[in-house]
Amino acid sequence: MFNFNLRTSRSGREYSPGVLIANWNEDVYLEEEQLSISKDGFLHFGDTVLLVSPDEKSAMESSPCERGNLSLAVTPDEMSIHALDALPSPCGVSAIRLTDPIGRNAFQILSTEGASMGDPLRFGQNFGLGATGGFHDRMLFLASDHKTFENKAKKSLLQAVSLTDELSYLASWQVTYLDPQLRLEYEGFPVPANNTKILITHCHTNQALAVPRTFWMRTYFGKEYEVVCNTYLDSHKAEEDKNYWIMVTGNPSDGSTTMFDRPPPPSEVTREKSSEVQTAT
């Protein structure tokens, strides 16, 4: 009787040594991931979160295919998925139509200046974002650099964003308060988790992380949107919704969902309905 060494993924699926590595890797990338729970409503170093680009566009401004909430995700090339049992470096990123936590879209907030695990992340404080893609034996870091002829986003030709194996100054970011008029006042305050729109600014180039939503690409996982580093300003010199992000933590009452999925309190729902009635009348 043959004794095969079966590999069991965290989803419970078993793979024999003869199975294609791409099938095993795909399962790892797409397996459910546990997010950190925020007990005080703020973000902390060491937290595992989703980075969500919220749906802000009106129906007049965009087609249905560009609507909806998107999350930042690791996007390895197909050759790496077939050949490697870990995230390749460098590795691409994209915005995907999924706000459930999986291996691909879970990111960890990291210290780049000696802050302790569990310390609150503050507006204007340098930090890094790490991802494992679900493999957990190798972490890569979200990074960017000035656009050059050879180093630029493939579709938009703007400043590119990718994952690298070095937590250097190119992988250093800051959370910026959304309202430009209150930005200085909030410097140094803890960053709220969930439901609070923020900007994520690259320290070295001073460009903001963005999802233009007009540039998409075919990946191993399907149609996904390009992510770039580019600050989009409106006529009032304020950042546009392409630069808006929400850092989402886990739902303490349900480990398989996020606070993004949690329904608002009854009082908040009542206020929204009252506002709609007043607007209609």
Side-chain angles (χ1 to χ4, degrees):
M1 182 175 180
F2 294 102
N3 183 21
F4 290 107
N5 294 319
L6 294 179
R7 296 188 297 178
T8 305
S9 70
R10 289 186 297 137
S11 66
R13 293 171 63 181
E14 291 185 337
Y15 294 87
S16 69
V19 77
L20 291 176
I21 193 171
N23 294 344
W24 163 262
N25 287 346
E26 181 179 357
D27 193 39
V28 173
Y29 284 119
L30 301 179
E31 279 180 347
E32 179 184 302
E33 189 77 13
Q34 294 293 322
L35 299 182
S36 299
I37 305 297
S38 178
K39 296 180 180 179
D40 58 5
F42 296 106
L43 297 167
H44 305 83
F45 287 101
D47 282 354
T48 299
V49 299
L50 298 185
L51 276 70
V52 174
S53 169
D55 180 15
E56 290 286 334
K57 294 179 180 293
S58 69
M60 297 294 292
E61 294 177 324
S62 62
S63 64
C65 66
E66 296 169 355
R67 299 292 307 277
N69 300 310
L70 307 174
S71 66
L72 184 68
V74 303
T75 309
D77 59 83
E78 188 169 351
M79 184 176 295
S80 298
I81 294 174
H82 283 275
L84 300 177
D85 205 7
L87 276 183
S89 178
C91 180
V93 295
S94 62
I96 65 175
R97 290 186 171 278
L98 184 70
T99 55
D100 294 327
I102 57 174
R104 287 189 66 202
N105 63 2
F107 285 79
Q108 188 174 19
I109 301 173
L110 305 171
S111 171
T112 60
E113 298 181 328
S116 300
M117 297 283 280
D119 285 353
L121 174 65
R122 301 179 182 276
F123 287 104
Q125 184 177 17
N126 292 3
F127 72 101
L129 286 166
T132 65
F135 290 98
H136 299 298
D137 56 352
R138 185 189 193 194
M139 179 173 284
L140 299 182
F141 312 103
L142 191 70
S144 188
D145 200 356
H146 290 289
K147 182 181 70 171
T148 65
F149 180 76
E150 295 181 347
N151 180 27
K152 56 190 174 184
K154 293 181 179 179
K155 297 292 185 176
S156 64
L157 306 183
L158 296 170
Q159 184 175 313
V161 182
S162 63
L163 293 166
T164 179
D165 58 3
E166 185 179 0
L167 188 58
S168 68
Y169 68 97
L170 296 179
S172 187
W173 306 81
Q174 288 185 358
V175 174
T176 304
Y177 193 74
L178 197 65
D179 188 338
Q181 296 183 343
L182 299 176
R183 207 159 279 174
L184 285 178
E185 293 183 30
Y186 274 85
E187 189 103 353
F189 278 76
V191 180
N194 312 305
N195 303 321
T196 299
K197 300 182 185 72
I198 58 174
L199 306 174
I200 301 176
T201 306
H202 188 239
C203 297
H204 179 58
T205 62
N206 201 35
Q207 294 295 312
L209 193 66
V211 184
R213 293 183 182 240
T214 51
F215 303 98
W216 59 271
M217 50 194 174
R218 289 287 179 189
T219 74
Y220 179 84
F221 303 96
K223 179 182 176 181
E224 299 178 347
Y225 290 90
E226 187 174 69
V227 177
V228 298
C229 237
N230 187 73
T231 303
Y232 292 87
L233 298 176
D234 61 20
S235 59
H236 302 288
K237 302 298 183 183
E239 289 81 3
E240 296 181 3
D241 52 20
K242 301 178 184 70
N243 293 123
Y244 294 0
W245 295 89
I246 299 173
M247 287 197 186
V248 179
T249 59
N251 186 349
S253 60
D254 184 352
S256 63
T257 62
T258 70
M259 289 297 291
F260 206 65
D261 306 313
R262 194 171 187 175
S267 58
E268 195 170 316
V269 175
T270 302
R271 286 197 299 271
E272 289 179 358
K273 288 184 177 179
S274 299
S275 177
E276 291 175 359
V277 170
Q278 292 176 0
T279 303
T281 55

